[in-house]
Amino acid sequence: METWSVEQVCSWLVEKNLGELVHRFQEEEVSGAALLALNDRMVQQLVKKIGHQAVLMDLIKKYKQNTQGLKSPENPKEAALVMQTEAARDYRDEESSSPASHGERMPSFYPAENLDNGLIDQRVLKQRRNVKHILARSKALQWTKSYVLPEFPYDVKCMLAEQKCPDHSMRIRIIEFLQADMTKYLEGSLYPSTQQYNDVVNALLQAHPFLDEDGCGFFLWKRALKDRFKYVRRPIEDDEQVIRNKCKFGHRRGQKRKSLADIRFDEIKLVQIKEEAVCFDSELDEHIKWFQQEYVKTEKDWREIDKRMSQTLEIRRKMIGSQTPLKDILKLFPFLKCPYQIFREFQLLTRTDIYKKTRHILESYSENILTSFSVVDNPINILLQEKMKHYTDEDMLKYMKLTATCLLLPDVFGDDPSLFVIMNEQVQVSTPVLEVKNPFNMEVCEFSLYLERERLTKVDDCVTALAALVAAFHVFGIECPRRLSQTFNFLETLIFDMHSPYFPSLKEKEKEVGFQLPVT
């Protein structure tokens, strides 16, 4: 079969009542060798109907089992070639084991042209590959360490106990479970070493030998485990180790590494952008000096600050658009560290009062979020219910509910809460994130907004904190992480919805004058 052409494979499909697959196999140019190399995942992509998938995999499996010893073909020419192949293999085995092989080489009984035949070459090479696989596996077994398999779910344990060959979905479940356990075992790292892959796969095959199919199960499971880690790493944008490896090796299909000339050109261009940003005229230089002097004063002239911040808005947007480091921007414009100025900058850019919109969202959706099925057993919700038993004041109860709503938003939408708010832990992400201490104690509650792992500002309530978090992404031109996309889609849809009956239209916003938020 491995020498079949695409047409022969299609004829075989018709014989096996799988004629519906002929067109698809012709498109993908599936030859006999490709047919024997198909695995569960490839068959699932190639064949749509589950029944056809099962029949095809069963036929391939039976063929492989029947051809463990080579069957004699009906064609006499093919029979002669197969007999020559077996005789040549037996002769080489005898030659390698005989004493003469260490001394003078004995002549071959078969002409060279027979060994050069394509059919024989492919089978000999396949045998050599199998020998290499066996040697590599035996070498990997010597590296096995004391890795203990995790406790699999009940259905997986039942399948393993019955020693059934796992189907495609069950293989995926086992691989996902091993990947999660390895990540925990490696303390969060998503880059296991080759030795660690070997240890895990060896532990799996030693505990369940029937998973080692045809002696090549080690490499199949290892490849699947590696692919799973690649799949997990692909959408991650906030982990420092993943970012460093993506920058080093590239992470998109078809992406090419830049040449030295391109890298040099980008460096020169970046230097020019920074020089243009630094070369301020005298008037702008005066504004920046005034900002730095005013920022250290105890009593500040907020009207003058608002006026000068509006005058320097354009140059500030150019600097942010040219990816000037945020630390440099905050040194030149230190008032961007104040929540009031972040809100005002957001209003200048979008004509939207984000504080008012955020309060309205929390008040309107707090009951729905707190009673959502996905957060019923959440520790934050459980702590809220316990705290509410000790208070009767309506303002205090409302404050606690709004705070819990703010903290539970990413859990409701299935996003990663560690990119949204952090409680009693060290900030590890570079994107804007909230840190909260004593969330349900109105007197000592403290929210902080972090940017690039440094505290940007400190606020006293959840409404200001959530509004500052959303505004920071827009004001500083930072792209929202994918693992927070659902939460931010919800918030931004309500914040920027022009047709919502709860919020004024765009024309009404343009008529609004001033910004009446209290300074925190």
Side-chain angles (χ1 to χ4, degrees):
M1 185 181 282
E2 61 189 12
T3 62
W4 285 1
S5 64
V6 178
E7 289 75 16
Q8 288 174 303
V9 171
C10 294
S11 301
W12 178 77
L13 290 174
V14 174
E15 290 177 7
K16 302 299 182 182
N17 296 323
L18 294 174
E20 296 181 21
L21 309 181
V22 169
H23 182 67
R24 180 66 173 155
F25 273 59
Q26 288 175 340
E27 283 183 350
E28 298 294 336
E29 297 183 357
V30 180
S31 62
L35 181 65
L36 292 175
L38 292 177
N39 57 26
D40 293 348
R41 184 181 300 178
M42 294 178 186
V43 171
Q44 192 176 26
Q45 294 175 352
L46 192 64
V47 182
K48 291 184 179 179
K49 295 183 179 179
I50 296 176
H52 289 170
Q53 293 176 13
V55 172
L56 181 62
M57 289 302 297
D58 185 58
L59 289 172
I60 294 173
K61 185 176 180 180
K62 286 181 179 178
Y63 178 83
K64 289 180 179 179
Q65 290 174 351
N66 293 335
T67 54
Q68 291 291 332
L70 288 174
K71 296 172 65 178
S72 58
E74 296 177 2
N75 190 335
K77 291 184 179 180
E78 293 180 1
L81 289 174
V82 172
M83 289 174 64
Q84 290 174 3
T85 304
E86 292 177 346
R89 186 185 302 124
D90 294 339
Y91 169 71
R92 282 193 296 273
D93 293 340
E94 292 174 4
E95 185 182 16
S96 61
S97 61
S98 65
S101 62
H102 301 284
E104 184 179 354
R105 183 163 183 170
M106 297 184 67
S108 174
F109 291 104
Y110 298 95
E113 55 267 27
N114 288 342
L115 295 176
D116 291 337
N117 185 281
L119 176 63
I120 298 177
D121 272 352
Q122 289 183 13
R123 290 175 176 170
V124 171
L125 290 174
K126 184 178 180 181
Q127 185 188 20
R128 290 176 181 174
R129 284 196 297 269
N130 289 339
V131 172
K132 288 182 180 179
H133 289 175
I134 294 170
L135 292 175
R137 182 170 177 267
S138 63
K139 185 177 179 181
L141 286 171
Q142 298 172 4
W143 298 340
T144 306
K145 294 184 179 178
S146 56
Y147 174 80
V148 180
L149 287 174
E151 190 74 17
F152 289 110
Y154 177 74
D155 55 339
V156 178
K157 286 196 290 186
C158 290
M159 185 276 299
L160 295 175
E162 295 173 1
Q163 295 191 359
K164 290 183 178 179
C165 183
D167 57 7
H168 178 68
S169 60
M170 191 62 70
R171 283 174 180 270
I172 292 177
R173 290 205 65 192
I174 294 173
I175 289 296
E176 287 178 347
F177 217 78
L178 289 176
Q179 179 268 321
D181 186 68
M182 283 183 71
T183 305
K184 192 183 300 182
Y185 175 74
L186 299 173
E187 298 179 351
S189 174
L190 294 174
Y191 289 91
S193 64
T194 302
Q195 176 66 55
Q196 290 160 343
Y197 281 122
N198 292 340
D199 294 343
V200 174
V201 177
N202 279 323
L204 177 66
L205 297 184
Q206 286 180 354
H208 309 287
F210 68 94
L211 297 176
D212 189 3
E213 302 171 2
D214 302 329
C216 296
F218 175 85
F219 300 95
L220 295 176
W221 286 100
K222 182 178 176 181
R223 182 72 264 170
L225 193 56
K226 279 188 170 184
D227 290 342
R228 177 62 188 173
F229 270 97
K230 286 183 181 178
Y231 177 79
V232 171
R233 290 194 297 260
R234 190 175 299 164
I236 295 179
E237 299 177 347
D238 311 290
D239 186 86
E240 185 176 349
Q241 188 183 19
V242 176
I243 292 172
R244 185 168 60 250
N245 280 278
K246 282 182 178 180
C247 293
K248 185 176 181 181
F249 302 109
H251 63 289
R252 296 184 186 275
R253 289 184 179 179
Q255 181 180 9
K256 298 180 180 178
R257 296 186 69 178
K258 291 184 178 180
S259 63
L260 293 176
D262 293 336
I263 295 173
R264 181 61 181 162
F265 176 78
D266 292 343
E267 290 176 352
I268 294 173
K269 189 175 180 180
L270 184 61
V271 170
Q272 290 176 350
I273 291 172
K274 290 182 179 180
E275 288 177 352
E276 290 176 2
V278 174
C279 293
F280 304 110
D281 54 17
S282 58
E283 183 178 354
L284 186 59
D285 194 23
E286 179 185 350
H287 284 310
I288 291 172
K289 288 181 180 178
W290 187 89
F291 284 140
Q292 293 174 347
Q293 293 173 0
E294 188 72 14
Y295 187 71
V296 297
K297 292 182 180 179
T298 306
E299 295 184 1
K300 299 175 176 59
D301 187 353
W302 288 104
R303 287 190 178 182
E304 186 65 20
I305 292 170
D306 293 347
K307 179 181 176 182
R308 290 177 180 263
M309 289 291 286
S310 299
Q311 292 173 351
T312 56
L313 176 64
E314 185 177 355
I315 186 62
R316 205 159 47 247
R317 301 319 304 169
K318 286 183 179 179
M319 292 176 66
I320 292 174
S322 61
Q323 297 183 351
T324 304
L326 294 180
K327 290 182 179 180
D328 297 340
I329 296 175
L330 293 173
K331 285 181 182 177
L332 300 175
F333 304 99
F335 286 100
L336 283 179
K337 298 178 182 179
C338 303
Y340 164 74
Q341 280 301 326
I342 295 177
F343 297 158
R344 190 174 182 279
E345 187 103 346
F346 184 88
Q347 188 174 22
L348 292 173
L349 295 173
T350 64
R351 298 179 179 272
T352 303
D353 186 344
I354 190 171
Y355 182 88
K356 186 188 299 183
K357 293 290 186 68
T358 305
R359 173 173 284 279
H360 180 84
I361 292 170
L362 292 179
E363 291 177 349
S364 302
Y365 291 91
S366 62
E367 293 297 331
N368 292 338
I369 290 174
L370 293 178
T371 56
S372 173
F373 177 76
S374 57
V375 299
V376 170
D377 298 327
N378 192 286
I380 295 176
N381 202 359
I382 294 173
L383 181 61
L384 170 67
Q385 302 303 326
E386 293 178 356
K387 292 285 186 182
M388 290 178 63
K389 295 177 182 178
H390 301 89
Y391 296 94
T392 56
D393 183 48
E394 291 185 1
D395 292 337
M396 185 62 184
L397 295 176
K398 181 180 178 181
Y399 167 83
M400 294 168 67
K401 287 183 178 181
L402 293 182
T403 301
T405 303
C406 175
L407 300 179
L408 292 172
L409 272 175
D411 294 283
V412 172
F413 294 98
D415 285 337
D416 188 352
S418 65
L419 301 177
F420 188 81
V421 63
I422 294 173
M423 298 177 61
N424 305 320
E425 293 182 12
Q426 187 177 0
V427 176
Q428 298 289 345
V429 296
S430 57
T431 53
V433 65
L434 295 177
E435 182 195 44
V436 60
K437 297 178 181 178
N438 305 311
F440 299 118
N441 191 333
M442 185 181 292
E443 297 179 357
V444 295
C445 179
E446 180 181 307
F447 283 86
S448 299
L449 175 63
Y450 276 74
L451 182 60
E452 294 185 344
R453 303 182 185 180
E454 294 185 3
R455 179 183 288 181
L456 184 68
T457 185
K458 186 170 70 172
V459 296
D460 298 328
D461 65 281
C462 62
V463 178
T464 307
L466 181 58
L469 177 65
V470 177
F473 281 97
H474 291 269
V475 170
F476 296 108
I478 300 172
E479 186 178 357
C480 174
R482 291 184 185 178
R483 289 182 289 167
L484 276 183
S485 58
Q486 298 297 327
T487 304
F488 273 82
N489 284 342
F490 166 75
L491 293 171
E492 292 176 353
T493 299
L494 296 176
I495 290 172
F496 297 113
D497 187 8
M498 304 304 175
H499 305 288
S500 174
Y502 301 106
F503 306 132
S505 64
L506 181 60
K507 293 183 178 179
E508 292 174 344
K509 291 178 186 176
E510 293 176 353
K511 295 179 182 179
E512 292 180 1
V513 180
F515 194 79
Q516 301 178 357
L517 268 178
V519 180
T520 304

